Amino acid sequence: MSTNYSAVIEEGKVPNTYMTGDVSYKKQTSDIHPENTVVKEVTFEPCARSNWHSNAGLHMLIAKEGSGYYQERGSAVRLLKKDEVVTILPGVEHWYGATPFDKFSYVAIITEVDKGHGVWMEPVTDGEYFLLSSF
């Protein structure tokens, strides 16, 4: 029996086309997960957040460090802490990011990569973000 390890195959900053603020990522691979799955570690600096978007495939987010927000369109914002898991179904419009005073990182397990990329929409404005973050 052999042990398999994940390896970082790509890393960098996420373009501001999809995010507000500084967001970095590490894309990982391993020969033990299917070709149709991607693993990413994403870190948001305080106040950084994604645009509204929906995914083509199933996504699972596992909060690693700090505190962050997750919100589905039409629902209340949710505060995420270390070890919490969010399963995001395909087609659900949502955003996520760091709180104003804390970095936030998560591991994303993205399945069904062959279904294509998600749809990126409008940014979460500063007004919306700070109103939501006052809950």
Side-chain angles (χ1 to χ4, degrees):
M1 177 178 227
S2 65
T3 302
N4 296 294
Y5 298 94
S6 177
V8 174
I9 59 169
E10 181 181 312
E11 59 185 304
K13 295 280 185 185
V14 179
N16 282 341
T17 306
Y18 309 114
M19 305 285 166
T20 298
D22 291 329
V23 182
S24 58
Y25 73 96
K26 292 179 183 177
K27 185 176 179 182
Q28 300 174 332
T29 189
S30 170
D31 58 3
I32 62 171
H33 67 73
E35 291 294 321
N36 208 20
T37 302
V38 171
V39 178
K40 287 185 183 176
E41 182 177 343
V42 182
T43 301
F44 292 79
E45 295 298 320
C47 292
R49 61 217 180 248
S50 73
N51 288 5
W52 285 98
H53 63 283
S54 64
N55 304 318
L58 183 71
H59 282 212
M60 183 168 55
L61 304 183
I62 305 165
K64 284 188 57 173
E65 293 183 35
S67 56
Y69 296 133
Y70 172 79
Q71 184 180 27
E72 293 181 0
R73 197 170 307 265
S75 297
V77 68
R78 180 175 160 193
L79 182 65
L80 300 177
K81 296 285 191 177
K82 182 180 170 120
D83 297 330
E84 288 190 85
V85 177
V86 177
T87 301
I88 307 167
L89 299 176
V92 173
E93 294 181 11
H94 64 282
W95 70 272
Y96 38 71
T99 62
F101 304 105
D102 203 2
K103 279 186 176 184
F104 176 61
S105 68
Y106 65 79
V107 171
I109 301 170
I110 305 161
T111 65
E112 305 172 311
V113 174
D114 62 343
K115 289 186 175 180
H117 298 287
V119 176
W120 288 96
M121 294 168 246
E122 76 277 9
V124 176
T125 67
D126 285 347
E128 292 169 318
Y129 175 79
F130 288 107
L131 178 65
L132 292 170
S133 66
S134 64
F135 73 97

